[in-house]
Amino acid sequence: MKFHQTNCHKFLVSTLSLIFITSIPLILLKNSHPPLSSSLRRSTELGGDDDDKCDVFSGKWVIYPQGPYYTNETCPLIIDQHNCMKFGRPDLQFMKWRWKPFGCELPLFDATQFLEIVRGKSMAFVGDSVGRNQMQSLLCLLAHVTYAEDISNKSPSASIYSTHLFYSEYNFTLSALWSPFLVKYKDSDPEGHSFNSLMSLYLDEADEEWANEIKNFDYVIISVGQWFFRPLLYYQDGQLIGCHKCNHSNITSLTRYYGYKMAFQTTFKTLLSLKNYEGVTFLRTFSAAHFENGDWNNGGSCDRTRPFTKEMKIEEYNKEFYLTQVEEFRKAKVEGIQNGLRFVLINVTEIMWLRPDGHPNRYGHSMNRNVSVNDCVHWCLPGPIDTWNEFLVYLMKRE
């Protein structure tokens, strides 16, 4: 059943907008982006598929005069947080670049082909609001073929934080399972929840928001990152073992990367141990923010209108997040081969570092946020994030 009517569009957009109330807190980052001497090794060394004749993640951004697959006028599903054109972004050139691998071609996204691949199947985006950003891109890429019905309230395990959509013509279910840390978490700040409040992570316990449902999905895309910048208390075996930025002298100080490593370790361990899980697991690697001239809460912005060149090396913290998650991915991939499970990398970290021009900045409006806070974490739609779904369908076809 197609949902082309205007009232259905409004209903779906409204539902998706409400979901983003819980989206990423804009993180505290350094206020400049100097070139660094270090850079990521080739993706064939760190998480690329060794049997692939062409590394689609090694390439460059090239001018693409044809422009994007859709606009905010042809896709009525774009929420205000990503709708940069609606709120007056003056430059359009950021939409006219395309990723060009060295030595091969990345095929254009074919909506009909994608829908045939997923006919009778299900897909879940698991993680934070940047993962939802990718799902929102996918909805627009599919919109010129068909629309989905929001069945979130019909799910027996319905959560106010997760979304379930159904493409009836293809018997395809598309879900977003909200889990910003992948592991169990709770608020622990006596002053209540805020963008930078203290939270507790139970590093050896998978978040039930996704763990209880994931066995039902054929394709699972996992991605988290930015929430790990906030103050965190780390628990294992029910005991407090340390913290990140908690400012307690009597608690062992541990890095954000320790929590990140353990979260992925627990996530992959959970997937590998599920008796009835047979899905293909994709890890979409860390996506960088691009605040300049200030922190997120101190006037930081992302005003660039062109991609970086390769000479602008990726920052160390981005590199460390990437290496941390890929190390755990590699282990899971090896064990998965023994268990008959497939783990696939969508290696976007360095690719997206080169796109400081792709964020909403001051041209995205969120329902629960002061619009004076610039968004240099999420991505405009249309924009460079559409490339993630080109990678996704390319890898799905190989599987």
Side-chain angles (χ1 to χ4, degrees), residues 68-70 137-138 141 380-391:
Y69 292 97
Y70 58 90
S137 161
L138 182 58
L141 290 168
C380 291
L381 295 179
I385 195 173
D386 294 321
T387 303
W388 298 4
N389 288 313
E390 292 178 336
F391 289 141

Side-chain angles (χ1 to χ4, degrees), residues 9 68-78 83-86 92 95 140 143-144 147 381-382:
H9 293 167
Y69 292 97
Y70 58 90
T71 68
N72 64 321
E73 294 181 350
T74 62
C75 179
L77 304 177
I78 304 174
N83 203 337
C84 304
M85 296 297 98
K86 176 180 178 179
L92 302 177
M95 297 187 293
C140 283
H144 77 275
Y147 287 88
L381 295 179

Side-chain angles (χ1 to χ4, degrees), residues 43-48 50 326-334:
S43 61
T44 47
E45 297 176 53
L46 286 172
D50 298 330
V326 167
E327 178 184 3
E328 296 306 316
F329 168 84
R330 282 292 205 186
K331 296 175 186 176
K333 184 174 182 178
V334 171

Side-chain angles (χ1 to χ4, degrees), residues 33-88:
H33 296 302
L36 297 175
S37 58
S38 62
S39 63
L40 296 180
R41 283 177 280 164
R42 289 286 304 276
S43 61
T44 47
E45 297 176 53
L46 286 172
D49 288 301
D50 298 330
D51 58 349
D52 190 13
K53 294 181 180 179
C54 179
D55 180 7
V56 294
F57 304 112
S58 179
K60 63 180 181 179
W61 290 99
V62 298
I63 294 175
Y64 188 69
Q66 291 90 327
Y69 292 97
Y70 58 90
T71 68
N72 64 321
E73 294 181 350
T74 62
C75 179
L77 304 177
I78 304 174
I79 66 170
D80 286 352
Q81 188 177 19
H82 310 142
N83 203 337
C84 304
M85 296 297 98
K86 176 180 178 179
F87 295 105

Side-chain angles (χ1 to χ4, degrees), residues 101-387:
F102 297 129
C104 62
E105 293 293 331
L106 177 63
L108 290 167
F109 186 91
D110 185 324
T112 300
Q113 182 185 61
F114 175 89
L115 288 165
E116 288 298 337
I117 292 173
V118 298
R119 183 183 289 276
K121 297 181 180 180
S122 57
M123 173 179 289
F125 288 88
V126 179
D128 56 29
S129 57
V130 178
R132 293 181 185 276
N133 199 170
Q134 181 180 359
M135 188 188 78
Q136 186 82 21
S137 161
L138 182 58
L139 294 178
C140 283
L141 290 168
L142 300 177
H144 77 275
V145 174
T146 187
Y147 287 88
E149 175 189 3
D150 191 326
I151 60 170
S152 301
N153 293 332
K154 301 177 183 178
S155 172
S157 56
S159 163
I160 61 171
Y161 301 115
S162 293
T163 306
H164 303 279
L165 307 174
F166 184 60
Y167 289 86
S168 58
E169 291 180 52
Y170 295 88
N171 191 26
F172 169 53
T173 301
L174 178 62
S175 299
L177 306 181
W178 174 253
S179 184
F181 297 105
L182 298 178
V183 293
K184 179 181 174 182
Y185 64 96
K186 71 175 184 179
D187 287 308
S188 296
D189 200 306
E191 297 184 6
H193 185 82
S194 69
F195 292 147
N196 204 42
S197 57
L198 180 67
M199 300 187 75
S200 294
L201 299 191
Y202 299 85
L203 297 175
D204 52 354
E205 299 182 50
D207 184 2
E208 292 182 355
E209 186 73 22
W210 67 265
N212 288 347
E213 291 195 56
I214 210 67
K215 65 180 181 295
N216 301 317
F217 291 92
D218 300 291
Y219 300 101
V220 176
I221 300 95
I222 292 173
S223 60
V224 293
Q226 310 294 357
W227 282 68
F228 285 84
F229 284 87
R230 68 190 308 135
L232 297 169
L233 297 172
Y234 294 145
Y235 289 81
Q236 287 182 245
D237 296 320
Q239 302 296 317
L240 179 64
I241 62 165
C243 71
H244 166 60
K245 287 198 329 184
C246 69
N247 297 320
H248 288 292
S249 58
N250 61 336
I251 301 178
T252 302
S253 178
L254 297 171
T255 69
R256 65 188 72 155
Y257 309 114
Y258 178 81
Y260 201 58
K261 174 186 177 67
M262 294 307 299
F264 277 103
Q265 188 175 110
T266 295
T267 297
F268 291 135
K269 181 180 179 180
T270 300
L271 290 169
L272 287 163
S273 65
L274 288 174
K275 293 182 179 179
N276 297 320
Y277 179 62
E278 299 178 352
V280 181
T281 303
F282 296 88
L283 170 63
R284 192 269 296 155
T285 62
F286 184 79
S287 172
H290 290 92
F291 290 99
E292 296 186 88
N293 304 313
D295 295 329
W296 70 272
N297 59 346
N298 189 30
S301 62
C302 37
D303 296 312
R304 296 179 185 265
T305 58
R306 293 178 61 87
F308 284 148
T309 65
K310 282 286 189 180
E311 284 68 37
M312 183 62 91
K313 302 301 182 184
I314 192 167
E315 286 188 326
E316 285 290 352
Y317 80 88
N318 292 309
K319 176 183 175 182
E320 193 63 31
F321 271 110
Y322 170 82
L323 294 174
T324 298
Q325 63 183 171
V326 167
E327 178 184 3
E328 296 306 316
F329 168 84
R330 282 292 205 186
K331 296 175 186 176
K333 184 174 182 178
V334 171
E335 188 172 346
I337 292 173
Q338 299 171 356
N339 296 347
L341 289 176
R342 291 162 290 173
F343 290 82
V344 183
L345 200 73
I346 306 177
N347 192 352
V348 304
T349 300
E350 192 165 22
I351 292 169
M352 299 307 286
W353 165 249
L354 298 173
R355 295 306 307 272
D357 55 324
H359 298 288
N361 199 17
R362 66 185 63 86
Y363 301 108
H365 290 188
S366 182
M367 293 174 62
N368 68 324
R369 216 172 264 152
N370 186 333
V371 294
S372 65
V373 175
N374 300 316
D375 185 352
C376 302
V377 172
H378 301 92
W379 302 92
C380 291
L381 295 179
I385 195 173
D386 294 321
T387 303

